[in-house]
Amino acid sequence: MSAILSNLQDFTDRELAFFYKYRLVQYTPQTKEEITSFIFEKRQIPLGKIETLLKTPTPQNAFCKRCGSDKIFDYDVVYSKPAFKKLSYYQWEDLKANFNKKNQIECFVCGNIIENPNETYLDKILKFIKGN
């Protein structure tokens, strides 16, 4: 069994629906075939049920606001300070620390970026307005 299929074993039907919609495109054709076979044949989730699960509201207290999952991972990204906080293009602290890196948190199920250190206040306001 491949690593991705062993991860999918623990997914709920709702999480599989969101994974199918948002993450399937990033895999190779062979892996896509394994994933779809797992969803449709092994777990026996029909396409109609996937569409229904995608439309169900996400709980208010969910960690990921898109799919409601708590399956997340994090990684370091290069952090660029907002222009109004920059003193110069290269700051001593950036050179000293090989540029600043901060933690970005992403949902493993649907790929939603939960915490983005480079997100501006305007981005946050627009995200709030859109309901993401």
Side-chain angles (χ1 to χ4, degrees), residues 60-116:
Q60 291 289 329
N61 60 349
F63 199 75
C64 177
K65 301 300 181 199
R66 182 194 284 168
C67 70
S69 178
D70 62 351
K71 293 173 178 63
I72 60 163
F73 66 100
D74 61 337
Y75 51 94
D76 287 337
V77 293
V78 175
Y79 171 68
S80 56
K81 293 181 181 176
F84 64 87
K85 291 185 178 179
K86 290 183 181 177
L87 299 175
S88 65
Y89 186 73
Y90 293 106
Q91 295 181 357
W92 173 247
E93 61 198 37
D94 290 339
L95 296 173
K96 185 172 71 176
N98 291 332
F99 295 96
N100 290 332
K101 291 191 176 190
K102 288 199 173 183
N103 212 17
Q104 180 162 301
I105 301 173
E106 184 174 337
C107 178
F108 183 75
V109 173
C110 69
N112 185 31
I113 304 295
I114 296 168
E115 190 174 306
N116 180 355

Side-chain angles (χ1 to χ4, degrees), residues 2 4-5 8 16 19-41 50:
S2 68
I4 187 64
L5 290 183
L8 295 180
L16 283 173
F19 188 87
Y20 178 78
K21 177 172 179 151
Y22 292 103
R23 288 289 204 177
L24 191 65
V25 296
Q26 73 187 46
Y27 290 97
T28 63
Q30 180 183 356
T31 306
K32 283 180 187 179
E33 190 175 312
E34 289 178 30
I35 293 168
T36 54
S37 173
F38 175 80
I39 293 171
F40 295 120
E41 293 170 19
I50 287 177

Side-chain angles (χ1 to χ4, degrees), residues 13-14 17-18 20-21 40 45-56:
D13 287 355
R14 179 182 166 84
F18 278 87
Y20 178 78
K21 177 172 179 151
F40 295 120
I45 304 171
L47 192 56
K49 184 174 180 182
I50 287 177
E51 292 170 5
T52 303
L53 290 167
L54 291 170
K55 293 176 184 174
T56 58

